Amino acid sequence: MPVYSMTGYASGQNGPTGSHSDAEARPQPTGRLGVEIRSVNSRFLDLTFKLPEELRQHEPALRELLTGQLKRGKVELRVAFENTASAGVADPSTKLLQRLNGVQDNIKSWLPSARDLSVADVLRLAAGDSAPRGDLGPDLTELTEKTLKALLAAREREGARLAKMLLDHLGQLRKLAAQALPLVPKLVEQQRTRFLERWQEAMGLGAGATAPEAAQDRALSEATAFAIRIDVAEELTRLDSHLDEIERLVKKGGEIGKRLDFLIQELHREANTLGSKSATLEMTRIGVDMKVLVEQMREQVQNIE
């Protein structure tokens, strides 16, 4: 199953409506429909519709169509309708002219200072009167389905790019963990040697002399406490487990965004702990590099559905 991004855009437009095989079965408006769907990341599915007034009654059907295909994201659907029948000069009917004349006389009886209708006013009103009365629902549904399909394809392409980036970062994190693992035993041995050297200096022992057994026991005790304090084996084990789970989810695909977001938080916690236990510049560098990679992953995971 593919990984889907929540970020995408698609638009569609059809020609003058009424080209369907059932055109004679229902009134056919003459016009051009345009549909745009854009989406960005969001914790939940948040739908916004911007429809012309004559298409507002189709919002429930469009909402059902979108909720059936989309699970998360802030989605805006915008519909525009261009009435091609009114592209030219409309020829007002005699009935319309009579109605306009009656309305004008009625208004002027109450508002004597109101101006008379101009030819431009009459033509504009005639164009509005000739607006299509046909059912745009089937055309709108068909065009929205096509546009939604294009949006899903765009979100899938972006999701594939995000999945590849995440897998690349997982590989880099594994390399950093592999670099950190052998550092701890070396650090413990170095610290034990340093403790013994300090005891020898404090007791005035020369080179090659053996420190008293009590001093060696104390050095061993200090080295053990130091080893416990800087031991990151548990953090590296948990980090490796999180990396395995993230890789499994990315390869599985589907609705994985929320689960990935939780795992990224866990990765960040382990990287922070590893950095806080750092005892050398090399371990500090590894911790910083890990946190940079995890932060980059966090930003991208926010866009995954």
Side-chain angles (χ1 to χ4, degrees):
M1 188 177 296
V3 173
Y4 287 98
S5 168
M6 285 187 282
T7 302
Y9 172 83
S11 63
Q13 189 177 49
N14 65 359
T17 58
S19 59
H20 298 281
S21 59
D22 63 341
E24 297 181 358
R26 58 184 174 87
Q28 292 299 305
T30 303
R32 179 176 289 107
L33 274 172
V35 173
E36 287 186 354
I37 308 177
R38 65 183 74 236
S39 66
V40 294
N41 61 313
S42 176
R43 292 184 62 189
F44 308 101
L45 182 60
D46 182 8
L47 301 179
T48 302
F49 297 87
K50 296 188 176 180
L51 310 176
E53 283 302 319
E54 61 267 27
L55 300 177
R56 185 66 62 184
Q57 70 270 22
H58 299 295
E59 180 177 325
L62 296 177
R63 182 179 297 274
E64 183 179 357
L65 183 62
L66 265 60
T67 53
Q69 296 290 327
L70 305 174
K71 304 305 178 185
R72 293 177 65 201
K74 184 176 178 61
V75 182
E76 178 185 283
L77 185 145
R78 185 186 297 267
V79 178
F81 178 73
E82 178 187 356
N83 183 10
T84 56
S86 60
V89 177
D91 185 12
S93 65
T94 302
K95 183 178 179 180
L96 174 64
L97 292 174
Q98 291 174 345
R99 187 164 71 249
L100 290 176
N101 188 54
V103 170
Q104 177 177 256
D105 290 343
N106 187 40
I107 291 175
K108 290 181 71 67
S109 67
W110 288 93
L111 302 171
S113 60
R115 67 177 181 84
D116 294 336
L117 286 171
S118 67
V119 174
D121 292 334
V122 173
L123 292 176
R124 177 171 52 80
L125 292 170
D129 185 67
S130 63
R133 299 283 199 273
D135 182 14
L136 283 167
D139 299 291
L140 179 58
T141 299
E142 179 181 346
L143 182 58
T144 302
E145 287 176 346
K146 291 180 180 179
T147 307
L148 179 57
K149 185 176 180 180
L151 176 72
L152 291 173
R155 286 168 54 135
E156 182 178 347
R157 289 192 299 271
E158 178 65 12
R161 186 189 68 82
L162 294 177
K164 182 179 182 304
M165 185 279 297
L166 288 175
L167 292 176
D168 289 344
H169 281 29
L170 290 179
Q172 296 179 53
L173 285 171
R174 292 188 191 280
K175 290 180 180 179
L176 289 173
Q179 295 174 19
L181 190 60
L183 290 179
V184 174
K186 294 180 181 179
L187 290 174
V188 173
E189 182 58 31
Q190 291 174 3
Q191 193 69 8
R192 180 175 178 276
T193 302
R194 188 176 298 116
F195 285 147
L196 286 173
E197 290 175 350
R198 289 178 180 176
W199 275 106
Q200 289 175 339
E201 291 175 1
M203 300 183 68
L205 298 176
T210 302
E213 184 177 349
Q216 293 186 26
D217 291 343
R218 180 62 184 274
L220 181 60
S221 176
E222 294 287 348
T224 301
F226 176 76
I228 294 174
R229 190 168 65 251
I230 69 168
D231 185 20
V232 293
E234 186 175 345
E235 285 76 13
L236 290 176
T237 299
R238 287 197 297 265
L239 186 141
D240 189 59
S241 175
H242 296 329
L243 295 180
D244 288 342
E245 180 63 11
I246 292 174
E247 183 175 357
R248 185 189 69 81
L249 288 174
V250 171
K251 291 181 177 179
K252 172 188 173 185
E255 301 170 37
I256 60 175
K258 291 184 179 180
R259 178 67 176 170
L260 284 178
D261 188 51
F262 170 76
L263 289 171
I264 292 298
Q265 294 179 34
E266 295 299 307
L267 278 183
H268 196 271
R269 183 178 293 109
E270 303 305 336
N272 271 336
T273 305
L274 190 144
S276 67
K277 290 185 175 183
S278 173
T280 65
L281 290 176
E282 180 64 15
M283 188 68 80
T284 300
R285 179 194 66 78
I286 291 174
V288 170
D289 289 347
M290 279 187 173
K291 285 193 282 188
V292 169
L293 288 170
V294 172
E295 189 60 34
Q296 291 174 353
M297 294 172 69
R298 184 203 299 273
E299 293 175 1
Q300 300 304 323
V301 163
Q302 298 299 319
N303 291 319
I304 293 179
E305 186 177 58

